[in-house]
């Protein structure tokens, strides 16, 4: 099961892979259940993981910056 695959949530590259996976599922009604689309699914999973890691790193950097700003404001108050 994937996260939300809405186009506005992902990069252009991942959206392309998601569309290829959806197309494979449409073209292979039964064989998708026995692995016909596994290579597309694996590519989507890898792409989504890269996006998640990048998002997490950006969020950590923002949190560090907020903490540094908060500490500097606290030091200026004294």
């Amino acid at each position: 099961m994937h996260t939300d695959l809405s186009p506005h949530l992902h990069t252009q590259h991942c959206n392309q892979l998601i569309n290829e996976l959806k197309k494979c599922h449409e073209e292979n009604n039964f064989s998708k259940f026995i692995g016909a689309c596994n290579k597309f699914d694996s590519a989507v999973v890898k792409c989504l993981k890269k996006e998640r890691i990048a998002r997490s790193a950006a969020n950590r950097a923002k949190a560090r910056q907020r903490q540094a700003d908060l500490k500097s404001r606290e030091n200026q108050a004294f």
Side-chain angles (χ1 to χ4, degrees):
M1 186 89 193
H2 301 289
T3 60
D4 186 4
L5 298 180
S6 298
H8 69 281
L9 298 174
H10 304 288
T11 62
Q12 185 66 25
H13 176 67
C14 284
N15 282 329
Q16 182 181 358
L17 294 173
I18 291 166
N19 288 335
E20 289 175 8
L21 176 63
K22 287 179 181 180
K23 182 180 174 185
C24 182
H25 282 180
E26 290 170 3
E27 292 174 354
N28 300 295
N29 288 330
F30 177 73
S31 58
K32 68 182 176 185
F33 296 112
I34 57 173
C37 301
N38 281 356
K39 66 179 182 178
F40 297 112
D41 188 54
S42 295
V44 169
V45 168
K46 287 179 185 178
C47 192
L48 295 177
K49 182 177 180 179
K50 286 180 185 178
E51 284 184 345
R52 181 178 48 80
I53 289 170
R55 238 185 357 262
S56 295
N59 287 339
R60 273 193 301 278
K62 286 181 188 177
R64 284 188 199 113
Q65 185 61 45
R66 281 193 309 269
Q67 289 296 323
D69 292 345
L70 181 63
K71 286 183 181 182
S72 69
R73 278 189 250 137
E74 287 175 351
N75 290 337
Q76 290 175 356
F78 290 111

